Amino acid sequence: MATKETDNQQQRSSQELPVVLVNRLPSFRLPSKPPFEDDLLSHFHLLDPHDSPEPYDSFLSRHASSIRALITVGTTPVTAEFLNLLPCLGLVVGTSAGLDHIDLPACRSRGIAVTNASSAFSEDVADCAVGLLIDVLRRISSADRFVRGRMWPAKKEYPLGFKLRGKRVGIVGLGSIGSEVATRLSAFDCSIAYSSRKKKPSVPFPFYANVGDLASNSDVLILCCALTEETTHIVNKDVMIALGKQGVIINVGRGYLIDEKELVQCLLRGEIGGAGLDVFENEPNVPKELLGLDNVVLSPHRAVMTPESFEALLQLTVANLKAFFSNKPLLSVVSNE
Amino acid sequence: MESIGVLMVCPMNSYLEHELEKRFNLFRFWTVPEKSAFLATNKNSIRAVVGNSSAGADAELIEVLPKLEIVASFSVGLDKIDLAKCKEKGIRVTNTPDVLTDDVADLAIGLMLAVLRKLCESDRYVRSGKWKKGDYRLTTKFTGKKVGIIGLGRIGMAVAKRAEAFSCPISYYSRTEKPEIKYKYYPGVVELAANCDILVVACSLTEETLHIINREVIDALGPKGVLINVGRGPHVDEPELVSALVERRLGGAGLDVFEHEPEVPEELFGLDNLVLLPHVGSGTVETRQAMADLVIGNLEAHFLNKPLLTPVV
């Protein structure tokens, strides 16, 4: 009975609303706060293979000719093989800040546009990056542990931290997130420099083509770039040594941007001063050596996770899909540079 | 100058102690077992007192030191010094303004981010292994939150400048409105609290500002509001704050100061919407050195009959 009703519903709505495929790993779901599915259903006819009793492949091939757009949930991969099953696809809507799970060259060669969600998250990620930096330099989490551990009356003094004003901040990746970080830290009178695939002529900050050079001229490195083949382990031992013994690394990008084993060794040996990390190579596993360090602040990949950023993500998702189906310019299309 | 007696009332900075010892006859008050006897013996050689935010020069101490000429505080706050008594006796007073402004403002913003984004809590979550069992929950966005500042002096203005970079609308309460300032002024603290998301205490501690954060203000700030105190513990009615936090009538707090440091109310240790710091507002290597240099500079200037660097009285 339920199936018959759903089929009738689908028949009616497929004549009225554009079809959008929800691409997700079985354990992933669209966010429930705000209620993504409810909101999307008022504009689009959603197809979700994992919600159907029909086998995945058969469901997909039956609907393939009507699927022009898909939403990929979180880091659910979009591979070339998958794209081959959807010959009419024209749009992939990403819902996470990163895009390393989407085969961008495969999309490009098939003429499929990809939109990203970084503008929905950029303020929250930037806030988190600045928060982690102040925490590491001023020992906030460590001092909070000290007080809660009832050590203040006995120990009287807490070890001094380091001043933020005047620190040379090197931002790796000056996209929407990196730019928001730069705006914030400028107000603390930090000097800003950056490294990026290409120099940005409209940006007033000094540019370094090479992350090692950026590190040599910085006290702090903040990683805000996408993870690609080129940027994997972009922060390696040489970069860390160049940053120096007082240097601080903040990572709100992807774990693999840093050679994690080397990072641990550099921290243990005092080759760098400290780190604030929201991401790790093998989440949710964190190298156990870090768990005992006071000059490290650890965050469980939460930089984007506020209700406000999800609300912004929903609006951006709906806006991109509506633009696509009415042949208007997409809001956050990923460019080819 | 080696014969000039300088009384340091409590330990505060070993570089400062070392440098004072080179120049003066330094007495470390906290090492003295019989304080009254000590003062009786040495009162005629003590010409300067060095204090900080924990201890300074109250009327009792001033009365007992007939040769006291100058009190140099290793702090910007003056609440531990009887300023009226110093004025009456012609005793000079100096503090350490400006050099610590950035650090205190940075800490205030750091506390806001740590409380709203639960940085300390989620760090604990990772260290305890809980992340392997499940994701941490959503936290609250900081950008765009309304920030209300009590006291728009050097520190208050520095907090405002930073918060503006996060698109936070700024409002303030001050003894008098500052017409040249573009931020919104509220003539009362309760009104300010009712109209902001995050309330920051950045004023000096005086008789008027004692317990300026009371039950009425806390209620106005409300269950989604956050209190940040980088001023002095006695700015806040601490028992009222504790019950408001425990009963969730107040959304959260970032506290660098407490009424009876180093004691912190036990009830606070179990709460996850707080960040508790051991009075580290100016606690950086760079700033403490700069503060120490100001204390030394002020004392040297005084005893060489030169203009004081940062006089208050």
Side-chain angles (χ1 to χ4, degrees):
Chain A
M1 267 280 276
T3 318
K4 192 164 184 223
E5 274 173 16
T6 316
D7 273 349
N8 283 341
Q9 258 184 321
Q10 280 181 352
Q11 269 190 333
R12 275 199 306 275
S13 41
S14 64
Q15 282 147 21
E16 297 152 12
L17 299 174
V19 167
V20 176
L21 176 72
V22 176
N23 178 42
R24 62 181 179 92
L25 292 171
S27 59
F28 286 4
R29 276 248 164 237
L30 283 167
S32 55
K33 278 191 186 123
F36 267 61
E37 218 171 284
D38 290 347
D39 207 272
L40 289 165
L41 283 169
S42 61
H43 304 282
F44 310 106
H45 175 55
L46 294 183
L47 293 177
D48 189 338
H50 293 299
D51 271 347
S52 166
E54 191 178 348
Y56 182 89
D57 293 339
S58 139
F59 181 98
L60 214 55
S61 69
R62 185 159 67 83
H63 290 279
S65 59
S66 66
I67 295 172
R68 294 181 55 215
L70 71 81
I71 299 172
T72 194
V73 177
T75 51
T76 303
V78 175
T79 61
E81 294 72 33
F82 176 70
L83 293 174
N84 289 339
L85 301 173
L86 301 169
C88 302
L89 192 67
L91 174 67
V92 169
V93 174
T95 59
S96 76
L99 292 165
D100 41 291
H101 51 286
I102 299 176
D103 188 336
L104 293 175
C107 290
R108 203 171 302 133
S109 64
R110 288 162 179 70
I112 298 170
V114 179
T115 58
N116 72 6
S118 53
S119 63
F121 299 122
S122 46
E123 288 172 339
D124 282 311
V125 180
D127 289 354
C128 191
V130 174
L132 286 171
L133 178 58
I134 301 177
D135 195 326
V136 174
L137 285 176
R138 301 298 300 274
R139 301 169 171 269
I140 294 179
S141 288
S142 173
D144 178 84
R145 281 196 289 278
F146 174 81
V147 174
R148 285 176 197 260
R150 296 161 175 80
M151 294 194 276
W152 194 9
K155 295 253 173 83
K156 298 281 190 285
E157 280 298 308
Y158 189 72
L160 297 177
F162 296 95
K163 195 176 171 98
L164 174 58
R165 181 185 176 144
K167 286 284 181 290
R168 298 167 302 165
V169 172
I171 301 178
V172 181
L174 207 67
S176 47
I177 293 170
S179 307
E180 296 282 359
V181 173
T183 302
R184 283 152 178 70
L185 287 176
S186 297
F188 291 78
D189 284 306
C190 292
S191 63
I192 312 286
Y194 73 104
S195 185
S196 202
R197 269 168 309 190
K198 283 203 305 242
K199 185 172 169 157
K200 294 171 193 261
S202 56
V203 162
F205 312 124
F207 168 76
Y208 291 90
N210 170 311
V211 176
D213 291 337
L214 180 68
S216 302
N217 290 284
S218 300
D219 304 303
V220 174
L221 277 187
I222 306 191
L223 310 187
C224 303
C225 61
L227 179 66
T228 63
E229 267 176 40
E230 291 80 36
T231 62
T232 298
H233 284 192
I234 198 171
V235 175
N236 55 22
K237 181 174 176 170
D238 291 338
V239 168
M240 289 188 255
I241 302 287
L243 188 60
K245 291 187 192 303
Q246 305 272 31
V248 172
I249 297 177
I250 303 297
N251 190 2
V252 290
R254 285 284 178 269
Y256 277 97
L257 291 171
I258 304 181
D259 181 340
E260 199 165 89
K261 285 202 183 59
E262 267 312 321
L263 173 69
V264 171
Q265 290 311 308
C266 283
L267 283 164
L268 292 175
R269 290 193 303 252
E271 305 276 12
I272 61 166
L277 309 168
D278 185 49
V279 285
F280 304 85
E281 284 192 339
N282 188 21
E283 295 167 19
N285 298 297
V286 171
K288 60 178 173 348
E289 299 91 329
L290 298 182
L291 303 179
L293 296 179
D294 273 345
N295 57 343
V296 166
V297 179
L298 307 169
S299 171
H301 201 156
R302 296 278 97 185
V304 308
M305 300 296 181
T306 66
E308 292 90 341
S309 68
F310 281 104
E311 183 60 56
L313 174 65
L314 175 57
Q315 284 176 26
L316 184 62
T317 300
V318 170
N320 272 313
L321 285 167
K322 277 183 164 172
F324 175 74
F325 286 114
S326 48
N327 291 313
K328 296 214 173 90
L330 299 169
L331 274 75
S332 57
V333 68
V334 176
S335 62
N336 285 337
E337 46 150 331
Chain B
M1 281 198 262
E2 293 81 16
S3 61
I4 297 173
V6 173
L7 179 69
M8 186 182 268
V9 294
C10 59
M12 53 191 77
N13 184 278
S14 36
Y15 163 77
L16 178 59
E17 273 177 52
H18 189 63
E19 292 299 309
L20 288 176
E21 218 161 28
K22 283 200 279 196
R23 293 161 173 76
F24 305 106
N25 185 14
L26 181 69
F27 297 105
R28 293 175 176 78
F29 205 27
W30 65 96
T31 62
V32 166
E34 296 286 325
K35 291 190 162 59
S36 320
F38 165 85
L39 288 171
T41 312
N42 294 288
K43 61 181 179 173
N44 287 320
S45 65
I46 294 173
R47 294 168 63 188
V49 163
V50 173
N52 69 355
S53 56
S54 315
D58 57 12
E60 204 187 313
L61 184 68
I62 293 168
E63 281 301 338
V64 135
L65 297 173
K67 307 284 190 200
L68 184 60
E69 295 168 27
I70 179 168
V71 177
S73 195
F74 184 73
S75 71
V76 67
L78 297 158
D79 43 288
K80 294 290 190 212
I81 299 172
D82 190 327
L83 293 173
K85 196 102 209 149
C86 288
K87 276 195 191 105
E88 181 197 310
K89 289 185 174 276
I91 297 168
R92 307 305 306 276
V93 177
T94 66
N95 63 351
T96 59
D98 296 317
V99 294
L100 48 66
T101 300
D102 293 314
D103 277 348
V104 178
D106 291 349
L107 196 78
I109 302 290
L111 280 169
M112 291 181 211
L113 285 162
V115 173
L116 267 75
R117 298 302 303 273
K118 293 201 162 13
L119 295 179
C120 308
E121 271 304 307
S122 52
D123 177 286
R124 250 188 285 281
Y125 191 79
V126 175
R127 283 176 204 255
S128 67
K130 292 198 179 109
W131 191 17
K132 296 193 198 188
K133 306 209 173 96
D135 284 335
Y136 193 71
R137 57 199 153 132
L138 296 189
T139 57
T140 307
K141 185 172 182 137
F142 173 61
T143 286
K145 286 291 182 293
K146 291 179 284 184
V147 173
I149 304 175
I150 300 176
L152 213 59
R154 287 170 289 243
I155 292 171
M157 284 297 288
V159 172
K161 176 184 168 193
R162 286 151 175 74
E164 278 195 294
F166 294 81
S167 308
C168 296
I170 310 289
S171 51
Y172 71 103
Y173 163 79
S174 198
R175 272 168 305 191
T176 51
E177 184 171 4
K178 295 168 196 262
E180 72 280 12
I181 301 288
K182 54 185 170 24
Y183 308 134
K184 179 152 173 63
Y185 173 72
Y186 286 96
V189 183
V190 173
E191 225 187 312
L192 178 68
N195 287 284
C196 67
D197 302 307
I198 301 170
L199 185 63
V200 185
V201 181
C203 58
S204 55
L205 181 66
T206 63
E207 271 173 32
E208 291 81 36
T209 62
L210 182 68
H211 285 191
I212 197 172
I213 305 294
N214 56 21
R215 182 162 181 137
E216 213 189 333
V217 171
I218 292 169
D219 284 343
L221 193 48
K224 292 216 162 90
V226 171
L227 177 72
I228 302 292
N229 193 1
V230 290
R232 287 284 179 267
H235 276 128
V236 176
D237 182 337
E238 206 159 88
E240 282 294 348
L241 176 66
V242 171
S243 63
L245 287 166
V246 166
E247 292 162 26
R248 305 228 168 247
R249 286 182 286 111
L250 179 63
L255 309 169
D256 186 40
V257 285
F258 303 85
E259 282 205 282
H260 307 289
E261 295 168 22
E263 303 297 331
V264 173
E266 275 284 323
E267 301 93 315
L268 298 183
F269 294 143
L271 299 176
D272 68 355
N273 52 347
L274 302 183
V275 175
L276 307 168
L277 298 180
H279 201 154
V280 292
S282 63
T284 65
V285 169
E286 299 92 330
T287 292
R288 290 286 168 86
Q289 163 115 10
M291 288 164 67
D293 287 340
L294 263 183
V295 170
I296 297 159
N298 274 305
L299 290 175
E300 280 185 331
H302 173 75
F303 291 113
L304 292 172
N305 287 313
K306 293 201 175 117
L308 297 181
L309 305 178
T310 48
V312 175
V313 170

